[in-house]
Amino acid sequence: MSEIHMPRLSDTMEEGVISTWVKKVGDKVSSGDVLVEIETDKAVMEFEAYEDGYLVKQNVSEGDTVPIGEVIGFIADSPDAVPEESAAPAAPAAEEKAEPEAEERPAEAAAPAAPAAEAPSGERPRTSPLARRLAKEYGLDITKIQGSGPKGRIVRADIEAAAKDGSAAPAAPAPQPSAPAPAAQAAPTQDDVRGSEEVKTSNVRKVIARRLTESKQTVPHFYLRRSIDAEALKAFRGQINEQLSSTGVKVSFNDLIVKACATALKLHPEVNTSWINDTLVQHHRINVGVAVAVDAGLVVPVLHDTDKATLSEISTRTRELAGKARDNKLKPQEMSGGTFSVSNLGMFGIDSFSAVINPPEAAILAVGAMRQEAVVVDGELAVRNRIALELSVDHRAVDGAVGAAFLKELAEILEEPMRIIL
């Protein structure tokens, strides 16, 4: 009998949501088979079995949020094997670690789980970390909510249902030294706000919101803007694609910009850094992340060793990663290790924009659409294709002059595109 634990599928993951049980109880399992799909803080990922056997128990249901390390199921040699009851309950220590701000448990051992509404005074009901946070946000008394999960565990769906039907009385507000504040109320329903409704959000979307908020609040951004003449870049792309026509590979402007960024980072390694725990970290590998829009939000798959890759390799790999991102099939290693990012909204006709840095990277390049503009060339007015670039920089790791020198180098490489492949 072997336990299946909630794995850590990304470097920032603290808990995961059981998206789909691919294997059902009683199914034969071989090493390498996908057991379950787990929604992490970055994407929905497949979790594979490490041994042969039979799935004999699922400890948690689809939709449940589970901290890292908690037992989610059991694999045994026989389909008729029954796990010992003592091995099945969730590990409280892992749950407490996943949410340190939660109230402390009583010193004495907890009694067997009972329906949440009948929990003895002073004992916290069995809940998921997400359920506790939602109950706090909605102002609900979690001890008055009936759990529908295993052994009466209160899960997200129970909190959302209670918020909509008002079945749980609002939790009493904490005493304030100043003037008394109104009691917390349940989240508004459609009857309260006509024409509006609460939209179910994925774990990925919530983590994106948290990480971008942290980035803007904790990273001192500064922005450098420059437009480039894209005539030579446009002609160069045409020549490259003509040469690659027999291979089926087609290089995009974004592929050229990604490769140019890697070339510029090699010449300006001081931008290929991170500020981590009051320490400046110098990266010796150049790994460029490419922002990809998916239904759940925005993910940034990483092209490792971008400076060593050819344009055709960058083109092929970028399309593979973008496709896997949209299908929620990215692996953890394909989204980690980035040292610089590129975000391109030119295909949407956006002239220019300011991108938010993806910590712990020190910079991200925002790329706008190619536009025909009237400019002065050699003293005469001419119409030229131009692209607006904007570099967002972490001022803790990179000074203004350093960032400006990097952007100047990048612009010169893009205006003399043969340097991209030299």
Side-chain angles (χ1 to χ4, degrees), residues 131-147:
R132 293 199 297 275
R133 284 201 295 270
L134 287 176
K136 184 177 180 181
E137 291 173 6
Y138 292 156
L140 301 179
D141 186 345
I142 202 166
T143 63
K144 298 182 182 295
I145 299 175
Q146 179 71 44

Side-chain angles (χ1 to χ4, degrees), residues 150-193:
K151 298 182 180 294
R153 182 182 179 88
I154 301 171
V155 296
R156 173 174 54 187
D158 302 323
I159 301 297
E160 293 174 344
K164 290 180 180 179
D165 61 26
S167 60
Q176 300 291 332
S178 57
Q185 297 179 353
T189 65
Q190 279 186 288
D191 291 335
D192 300 323
V193 185

Side-chain angles (χ1 to χ4, degrees), residues 14-15 66-68 93-101 129 132-133:
E14 296 180 354
E15 58 189 17
V66 185
I68 291 173
E95 185 166 307
E96 288 298 312
K97 184 177 181 181
E99 184 158 303
E101 70 275 14
R132 293 199 297 275
R133 284 201 295 270

Side-chain angles (χ1 to χ4, degrees), residues 262-290:
T263 303
L265 286 169
K266 197 170 184 177
L267 296 171
H268 296 266
E270 57 271 28
V271 178
N272 198 48
T273 58
S274 295
W275 186 263
I276 303 174
N277 298 326
D278 291 333
T279 301
L280 184 63
V281 178
Q282 177 69 62
H283 302 296
H284 298 299
R285 296 177 65 187
I286 297 175
N287 304 328
V288 179
V290 181

Side-chain angles (χ1 to χ4, degrees), residues 86-417:
S86 59
E95 185 166 307
E96 288 298 312
K97 184 177 181 181
E99 184 158 303
E101 70 275 14
E103 62 187 27
E104 295 182 357
R105 292 179 178 272
E108 62 271 18
E118 300 175 7
S121 177
E123 181 182 346
R124 193 175 71 181
R126 291 172 57 81
T127 65
S128 70
L130 178 60
R132 293 199 297 275
R133 284 201 295 270
L134 287 176
K136 184 177 180 181
E137 291 173 6
Y138 292 156
L140 301 179
D141 186 345
I142 202 166
T143 63
K144 298 182 182 295
I145 299 175
Q146 179 71 44
S148 63
K151 298 182 180 294
R153 182 182 179 88
I154 301 171
V155 296
R156 173 174 54 187
D158 302 323
I159 301 297
E160 293 174 344
K164 290 180 180 179
D165 61 26
S167 60
Q176 300 291 332
S178 57
Q185 297 179 353
T189 65
Q190 279 186 288
D191 291 335
D192 300 323
V193 185
R194 296 190 181 279
S196 301
E197 63 176 323
E198 184 177 309
V199 178
K200 183 178 180 180
T201 54
S202 66
N203 196 41
V204 175
R205 165 58 65 186
K206 292 174 183 176
V207 173
I208 289 172
R210 186 179 74 243
R211 285 176 58 81
L212 292 182
T213 300
E214 290 174 354
S215 177
K216 288 295 286 186
Q217 289 179 340
T218 63
V219 177
H221 289 56
F222 72 89
Y223 306 94
L224 301 170
R225 302 174 181 89
R226 177 161 180 163
S227 62
I228 63 165
D229 187 310
E231 289 293 329
L233 187 67
K234 185 177 180 180
F236 180 71
R237 175 176 178 256
Q239 294 172 5
I240 291 291
N241 283 333
E242 184 176 351
Q243 294 176 11
L244 294 175
S245 59
S246 61
T247 67
V249 176
K250 190 173 184 179
V251 173
S252 69
F253 283 110
N254 200 61
D255 297 330
L256 293 169
I257 291 170
V258 167
K259 180 63 174 177
C261 287
T263 303
L265 286 169
K266 197 170 184 177
L267 296 171
H268 296 266
E270 57 271 28
V271 178
N272 198 48
T273 58
S274 295
W275 186 263
I276 303 174
N277 298 326
D278 291 333
T279 301
L280 184 63
V281 178
Q282 177 69 62
H283 302 296
H284 298 299
R285 296 177 65 187
I286 297 175
N287 304 328
V288 179
V290 181
V292 177
V294 297
D295 291 341
L298 186 73
V299 295
V300 186
V302 177
L303 299 168
H304 293 89
D305 298 314
T306 318
D307 56 316
K308 300 176 183 178
T310 65
L311 280 171
S312 58
E313 289 171 342
I314 289 174
S315 175
T316 301
R317 187 63 178 148
T318 298
R319 280 150 186 77
E320 289 176 353
L321 291 173
K324 293 174 75 172
R326 296 187 181 99
D327 293 336
N328 292 322
K329 301 297 183 183
L330 283 172
K331 296 178 180 178
Q333 61 268 29
E334 294 171 330
M335 292 190 294
S336 60
T339 62
F340 184 91
S341 289
V342 173
S343 182
N344 190 338
L345 294 179
M347 66 287 293
F348 298 104
I350 301 301
D351 293 326
S352 64
F353 65 103
S354 302
V356 180
I357 295 171
N358 184 25
E361 298 169 13
I364 181 172
L365 181 73
V367 183
M370 182 181 293
R371 300 287 191 195
Q372 287 192 331
E373 298 178 4
V375 294
V376 176
V377 179
D378 297 330
E380 296 183 358
L381 191 63
V383 176
R384 310 280 289 189
N385 285 294
R386 299 185 68 82
I387 299 175
L389 307 176
E390 181 164 330
L391 187 70
S392 303
V393 188
D394 182 350
H395 214 324
R396 299 172 302 176
V398 180
D399 291 332
V402 174
F406 168 82
L407 187 57
K408 178 177 181 291
E409 188 83 54
L410 176 62
E412 291 174 354
I413 292 172
L414 291 172
E415 291 180 339
E416 300 175 17

